[in-house]
Amino acid sequence: MKTNNKPLYYILFVAIFAILLPAAYLSGLLSINTISIWGRYFCFAIAALGIDLIWGYTGILSMCQAFFFCLGSYGIAMHLVLQKTSLPDFMAWNKITELPFFWQPFHNAGVTFALCLIIPALFAFFIGYVLFRSRIRGVYMAIITQALTLAMWLLFLRNETNLGGTNGLTDFKTLLGFDLSSAQVKLSLYLVSFAVLCLAYIACHRITRSKFGKVLQAIRDSESRVSFTAYKTANFKLAVFVLAALLAAVGGMLYLPQTGIITPGRMDVKASVEMVMWVALGGRGNLKGAVIGALLVNFLYSLCTSWFPDSWLFILGFLFVLTVLYFDKGLIGLVATVRQRIPGLHFKTSQTTNRYVADSK
Amino acid sequence: MRHFLRPGWILLFLLCSLRGRSQDSASIYVNQILQPSADSVRTNAIHRLVALRDPSTFPLLMAINDKKLYLLDNKAVTTDSKPSGDGNYRLYTVYPTYQLLQNSSGQPLLLPPGKLTAVDIPRADRLALVGIAPLLNLFSNDVQKRMLAYSQVGNLQDQSTLQLVAAAVNRETDENVQRIGREALYAARLYAAKDETNAKVYIDSIALNWSDNAATLLTSYSKEKAFSPAAGSYALAKASRLEKKYDNLQRIQNLFSGLSLGSILILIALGLSIVYGLAGIINMAHGEFMMIGAYTTYCMQLVFGHQAGDWFYVAALPLSFISAGIMGLILERLVIRHLYSKPLESLLATWGISLILVQTARLIFGDLTAVKTPQLLAGGWQVAPHLTLPYNRIFIIVLTLVMVLLTYLMLFKTKLGLQIRAVTQNRQMSACLGVETRQVAALTFFIGSGLAGLAGCAITLIGNVVPDMGQTYIVDSFLVVVTGGVGKLAGTIVSGLGIGFFTKISEAFFQAVYGKVFILLFIMLFMQYKPKGLFPDKGRIAEE
């Protein structure tokens, strides 16, 4: 486990992904595609951090993180498409002669980056404001956000919305003048993603230990008591909801240039539940768990789909059920239990558990 | 006696000869076609028959055109276009009358084409029929062909064609085809009309007859072919009135499909709502129980085969309830009972179950299967010329009514219902008072899943059976539960109908997708005022 008092695990984690993997690529052991795939996993992990903040720490099950993720991706994708042509192909096929107004700002890279963050944040603010104001929580929140994702997915599927419909946006050439197909660019995108993941982790870590984070956890454990002590819980929830949306959007922004395609399939109901599942599997209420869960599930996904494609859904389904039934705290919790069971390791975990308990109190 | 009869014979003979020489010459030509002395004679005879345009020869010409002219005991016969079982065809005489051939016991005579002597007509001769093929089709025994023929007969200003069409319309038996035929006639007469009153009469007739393109026809008349502006504007006014009337009927039709969509949502949401209220379980696999019900229906269709007719559906109704219910019971025992009162966890676990079930169904049944609609439910109830309420949708509505009634009786009139309500209100207290809460929960789960299975059985009537069919309905039915208030029968019904109606109505104005976004916005707005649903609990039980 990597906790603050055990820097060894952090160093190991950073060493593997920041030095070992790139080194393996440079010495020819790994192909650039493998590197790129891990880069994508980091993007998922960034989004997972956001989910952990809102679900694991605040207890709000939001099913629309996939939608925010896609908002970030689509923003960048629109910019990349405009780099290539003045009018995207699919618009020409749909007999549209002029670029729609909402595409216009995406000509400029700076504006694009800003919009990729502002749009999801605004969306999250609006949704969160409406939902938290009427004290919608728990299951109701989950269902409504899921329905929202479904509705948005349907919207993005349409051709009239001018976002590429079912086929999404693809076939990008350059980003800020760099050729996206070149290995160097892919490697640097990988490193950037990793750096952003580390930064996001540190930031989230800080947040969870700040006063703000403590209030979030208090809301999770008993919202009514927090509001009785004169905290405006709705504002805290709104803030963390926007924060989670921003993290998802950042993940999406980095994800796009590495996959080279974004389709509405990334934000359907299935994808949004799956994102929540990464966190559940890794261990919610624990930032490390979120990162590990996202990396592990996606790694498993690429392994399984290439080895036995038919059974991936079975595996995922059983993972869902088993995690929920038996590993309530996810993988991190499992590791902790195993350590406690093995006497030789016992003294180490007692420290961490104490720490954890102290945190959440 | 004979003496008196003789004048009668003479009269009859006279009548026959009055029908003219065409009858005689037609029968001569027919004979020449069936037993030609030379190829040229046959060619000539066919050309003559085509020129005669005698409706009594049309069955024969049609048989030639379709290459279905046969000889049976030296009589010219033709067959149906499709075999009536085991490769045997019904037979019809073609000349001088068109009649179904019967065997000695009064049943239709069935024979395979091999037992008949085909009369070979060369292609060159058949080509002579191309010109009057639409006319022939007017007298076809295939409804589709007749319907199509009216638009193909060509110029109705030609008197002889007009007469033939009029004859065809007169002997028409199918209401819809007759309407199309009448329209063609009225239109021809309207175009020919040269004075105001006549034109108005025909415009009125067309409007009254009201076939599918009456409005378009009148509009185009007013724009291009009207002989006077007055007639033109009269036609235009009629057309717009027709269109308005049509739109209104369309709206009723939409409301009706909204009603049936709402019924399905109610059927699914009913079980969902009861289970959530009682056990605090968000069952994302609920849609998959619906899928199980649908596949049970499909399996029944396979088991019963094609001979059993509608019985497979009758059997499928209870069986889909039971199979989905049992599946629900198994899952309850294995997984869900560990998750009582943990809604968010149960949401994830049941989502996993739904993934497994969908993938299993995909492996067993493949990607797309369909259940054929039972004969009894095919077609619809034609309320007005342009308003047909399909029987299958009516059936779904009735089924939902019955199930809602049964659920109501179960919940409020039986001991089990009393226990369910008690456990829903306060689990611990009920347990203290001796209610077997686990058993009650299991039974509730059985009933809830069974209702979903029944919904699946109903859905096979209006859609395909696909492995992930449950997932298209699950989010909607959760919205129904949320809007209606958890565990509330009345709320489920009202919000189910509301969402069903709203979906269909907004589909009429926007496209389906925007309708969905709209509904969502509406529900979010609604929850601002009623965060606990339509019918929230009051007083103490309202506490969380």
Side-chain angles (χ1 to χ4, degrees):
Chain A
M1 288 170 73
K2 321 171 264 100
T3 50
N4 234 5
N5 48 353
K6 268 183 280 167
L8 176 66
Y9 290 98
Y10 282 110
I11 294 169
L12 206 64
F13 183 75
V14 174
I16 289 176
F17 288 114
I19 299 167
L20 205 64
L21 248 67
Y25 158 66
L26 290 176
S27 60
L29 286 174
L30 282 176
S31 74
I32 188 66
N33 284 337
T34 319
I35 296 289
S36 209
I37 282 172
W38 278 97
R40 274 178 245 166
Y41 297 166
F42 295 148
C43 303
F44 291 140
I46 296 169
L49 281 175
I51 295 172
D52 202 15
L53 273 190
I54 190 157
W55 184 40
Y57 283 89
T58 324
I60 303 167
L61 184 49
S62 153
M63 303 277 226
C64 52
Q65 298 309 110
F67 166 57
F68 296 134
F69 187 87
C70 280
L71 277 183
S73 290
Y74 265 98
I76 296 287
M78 282 156 84
H79 175 63
L80 294 190
V81 167
L82 290 183
Q83 293 279 296
K84 202 179 55 175
T85 62
S86 57
L87 191 72
D89 296 340
F90 67 86
M91 285 193 196
W93 298 331
N94 291 340
K95 300 196 175 63
I96 291 167
T97 47
E98 208 170 307
L99 204 61
F101 72 96
F102 64 91
W103 275 73
Q104 300 290 357
F106 290 93
H107 276 295
N108 184 305
V111 177
T112 302
F113 289 141
L115 278 181
C116 283
L117 296 175
I118 291 171
I119 292 174
L122 276 182
F123 246 105
F125 184 82
F126 174 72
I127 299 165
Y129 181 77
V130 173
L131 291 182
F132 297 134
R133 200 185 75 111
S134 53
R135 286 196 268 168
I136 291 171
R137 62 176 89 150
V139 173
Y140 283 54
M141 178 78 191
I143 290 169
I144 289 189
T145 46
Q146 191 172 48
L148 185 90
T149 313
L150 180 77
M152 287 303 148
W153 173 64
L154 288 170
L155 263 187
F156 274 64
L157 278 181
R158 304 294 302 184
N159 278 330
E160 302 98 73
T161 38
N162 285 323
L163 287 166
T166 328
N167 300 325
L169 300 173
T170 184
D171 195 21
F172 313 121
K173 294 282 182 286
T174 56
L175 171 64
L176 300 173
F178 298 110
D179 183 10
L180 280 174
S181 57
S182 86
Q184 270 90 357
V185 174
K186 281 185 177 176
L187 183 65
S188 17
L189 276 171
Y190 163 86
L191 288 173
V192 168
S193 305
F194 185 68
V196 172
L197 172 62
C198 291
L199 281 178
Y201 178 82
I202 293 168
C204 290
H205 194 72
R206 286 266 169 87
I207 288 172
T208 55
R209 306 223 158 188
S210 68
K211 193 181 161 204
F212 174 73
K214 303 266 154 109
V215 177
L216 293 185
Q217 288 164 52
I219 290 174
R220 171 189 66 190
D221 294 337
S222 174
E223 186 171 349
S224 36
R225 285 190 214 174
V226 178
S227 58
F228 292 156
T229 41
Y231 281 101
K232 285 205 165 179
T233 54
N235 292 353
F236 282 91
K237 293 202 283 190
L238 189 55
V240 77
F241 192 57
V242 173
L243 195 66
L246 278 176
L247 279 170
V250 168
M253 287 165 72
L254 286 166
Y255 173 78
L256 182 97
Q258 302 189 62
T259 38
I261 181 168
I262 182 75
T263 67
R266 258 281 135 229
M267 56 188 267
D268 60 0
V269 174
K270 230 178 255 173
S272 46
V273 184
E274 224 178 277
M275 282 179 115
V276 172
M277 208 50 215
W278 301 336
V279 178
L281 211 88
R284 76 190 133 112
N286 193 321
L287 293 173
K288 297 177 290 289
V291 174
I292 293 171
L295 296 184
L296 200 72
V297 173
N298 282 296
F299 183 57
L300 261 180
Y301 170 75
S302 29
L303 282 189
C304 291
T305 41
S306 53
W307 287 346
F308 16 79
D310 270 348
S311 56
W312 166 243
L313 281 179
F314 284 121
I315 296 170
L316 191 68
F318 275 112
L319 272 179
F320 269 52
V321 177
L322 288 181
T323 316
V324 172
L325 284 188
Y326 300 109
F327 322 122
D328 202 18
K329 292 215 170 57
L331 233 102
I332 296 285
L334 183 70
V335 172
T337 330
V338 169
R339 280 174 175 239
Q340 267 171 351
R341 294 271 163 85
I342 299 168
L345 294 166
H346 190 255
F347 72 99
K348 277 184 191 166
T349 33
S350 61
Q351 269 181 347
T352 38
T353 2
N354 281 341
R355 180 87 204 205
Y356 184 65
V357 170
D359 274 355
S360 54
K361 280 277 158 71
Chain B
M1 277 279 272
R2 239 169 228 200
H3 206 72
F4 288 111
L5 274 176
R6 192 145 293 168
W9 278 113
I10 293 167
L11 204 65
L12 195 70
F13 181 76
L14 273 175
L15 271 176
C16 284
S17 55
L18 266 182
R19 281 194 70 186
R21 278 168 46 212
S22 80
Q23 191 78 31
D24 297 338
S25 50
S27 60
I28 293 168
Y29 294 137
V30 169
N31 271 331
Q32 284 178 349
I33 290 171
L34 295 176
Q35 276 112 16
S37 47
D39 280 354
S40 63
V41 173
R42 183 176 55 205
T43 310
N44 181 45
I46 289 177
H47 279 277
R48 284 298 163 91
L49 275 189
V50 170
L52 267 179
R53 292 190 167 192
D54 180 354
S56 68
T57 62
F58 279 6
L60 175 87
L61 292 178
M62 204 144 43
I64 295 173
N65 195 30
D66 296 344
K67 293 196 273 184
K68 282 209 192 81
L69 185 62
Y70 303 97
L71 280 180
L72 181 71
D73 307 332
N74 277 332
K75 258 192 306 184
V77 294
T78 186
T79 63
D80 262 342
S81 48
K82 280 179 198 140
S84 333
D86 298 339
N88 284 334
Y89 288 79
R90 289 166 194 250
L91 300 177
Y92 300 85
T93 60
V94 291
Y95 192 82
T97 51
Y98 183 70
Q99 255 177 348
L100 181 65
L101 275 179
Q102 292 176 331
N103 59 16
S104 49
S105 59
Q107 294 293 316
L109 184 66
L110 290 173
L111 278 179
K115 291 247 173 120
L116 304 165
T117 334
V119 181
D120 250 351
I121 311 282
R123 193 179 124 78
D125 288 354
R126 271 189 282 118
L127 280 179
L129 298 172
V130 169
I132 63 160
L135 279 178
L136 293 181
N137 282 339
L138 286 181
F139 296 88
S140 156
N141 53 355
D142 182 351
V143 175
Q144 294 298 330
K145 265 190 187 165
R146 290 205 301 266
M147 213 178 265
L148 218 63
Y150 283 102
S151 59
Q152 294 170 336
V153 280
N155 185 13
L156 281 183
Q157 302 308 332
D158 172 29
Q159 276 307 311
S160 68
T161 318
L162 192 66
Q163 270 167 13
L164 274 175
V165 171
V169 170
N170 273 337
R171 52 162 276 186
E172 185 54 63
T173 47
D174 186 277
E175 206 177 312
N176 291 324
V177 182
Q178 200 168 35
R179 194 173 298 128
I180 292 172
R182 279 215 199 99
E183 185 187 69
L185 279 182
Y186 293 149
R189 286 177 189 154
L190 175 61
Y191 292 152
K194 287 286 170 257
D195 67 295
E196 208 90 344
T197 23
N198 242 342
K200 279 188 179 172
V201 166
Y202 288 122
I203 291 170
D204 282 343
S205 311
I206 289 174
L208 210 64
N209 181 45
W210 199 16
S211 77
D212 281 340
N213 44 5
T216 355
L217 197 138
L218 288 178
T219 322
S220 80
Y221 172 75
S222 75
K223 278 189 190 137
E224 292 155 18
K225 296 180 181 136
F227 64 91
S228 78
S233 60
Y234 185 74
L236 202 62
K238 277 276 172 194
S240 72
R241 205 172 310 159
L242 274 187
E243 260 165 10
K244 210 170 278 170
K245 226 160 131 192
Y246 182 77
D247 283 350
N248 281 337
L249 286 184
Q250 233 23 53
R251 236 160 258 158
I252 296 176
Q253 188 100 45
N254 257 330
L255 281 186
F256 183 72
S257 9
L259 189 65
S260 76
L261 177 71
S263 312
I264 288 177
L265 286 180
I266 289 172
L267 217 48
I268 304 173
L270 210 57
L272 210 55
S273 173
I274 298 174
V275 166
Y276 179 41
L278 179 111
I281 294 285
I282 288 294
N283 189 6
M284 291 302 270
H286 200 73
E288 273 54 57
F289 294 132
M290 189 193 95
M291 180 264 290
I292 290 173
Y295 274 112
T296 310
T297 315
Y298 174 68
C299 289
M300 279 301 111
Q301 179 183 301
L302 292 187
V303 169
F304 277 67
H306 291 295
Q307 305 302 320
D310 291 350
W311 287 108
F312 83 92
Y313 201 76
V314 177
L317 277 174
L319 271 176
S320 58
F321 184 93
I322 292 170
S323 64
I326 287 176
M327 199 64 203
L329 211 57
I330 293 172
L331 281 179
E332 200 270 344
R333 287 287 94 177
L334 285 179
V335 179
I336 287 163
R337 79 193 159 108
H338 303 289
L339 297 170
Y340 280 150
S341 308
K342 285 195 223 159
L344 292 184
E345 279 85 347
S346 70
L347 188 152
L348 293 177
T350 48
W351 180 262
I353 293 171
S354 107
L355 286 185
I356 296 171
L357 289 178
V358 168
Q359 188 64 9
T360 314
R362 188 168 287 140
L363 285 187
I364 298 175
F365 295 103
D367 261 330
L368 181 78
T369 41
V371 171
K372 70 173 180 336
T373 306
Q375 285 291 305
L376 212 59
L377 296 178
W381 175 37
Q382 190 148 25
V383 186
H386 293 272
L387 181 64
T388 311
L389 306 183
Y391 288 131
N392 49 12
R393 291 194 182 262
I394 295 178
F395 173 79
I396 288 172
I397 294 168
V398 172
L399 181 73
T400 307
L401 265 178
V402 171
M403 290 325 289
V404 167
L405 199 70
L406 285 180
T407 314
Y408 170 79
L409 290 178
M410 189 271 293
L411 276 179
F412 291 95
K413 299 287 171 200
T414 64
K415 197 178 167 209
L416 174 68
L418 190 68
Q419 289 177 335
I420 290 177
R421 282 181 295 142
V423 178
T424 306
Q425 277 187 11
N426 193 328
R427 189 179 193 84
Q428 277 87 18
M429 186 60 82
S430 328
C432 292
L433 293 174
V435 177
E436 288 276 357
T437 55
R438 288 196 165 255
Q439 230 167 46
V440 170
L443 258 175
T444 314
F445 214 81
F446 176 78
I447 293 170
S449 316
L451 283 174
L454 208 58
C457 183
I459 281 177
T460 58
L461 292 178
I462 54 171
N464 284 328
V465 184
V466 286
D468 52 2
M469 62 192 295
Q471 290 176 355
T472 47
Y473 284 92
I474 190 74
V475 180
D476 279 352
S477 42
F478 267 118
L479 283 183
V480 171
V481 174
V482 166
T483 321
V486 169
K488 296 281 180 299
L489 199 62
T492 306
I493 293 164
V494 172
S495 69
L497 283 182
I499 289 179
F501 274 133
F502 202 90
T503 309
K504 284 293 168 186
I505 292 170
S506 54
E507 263 174 34
F509 289 104
F510 320 103
Q511 273 169 325
V513 172
Y514 305 115
K516 203 144 211 163
V517 179
F518 232 73
I519 285 174
L520 197 77
L521 287 178
F522 179 74
I523 289 175
M524 274 165 77
L525 216 68
F526 168 82
M527 306 266 299
Q528 297 291 302
Y529 300 101
K530 293 246 176 195
K532 289 273 166 204
L534 278 171
F535 302 101
D537 284 319
K538 294 200 177 69
R540 276 198 174 179
I541 6 169
E543 311 271 310
E544 286 158 59

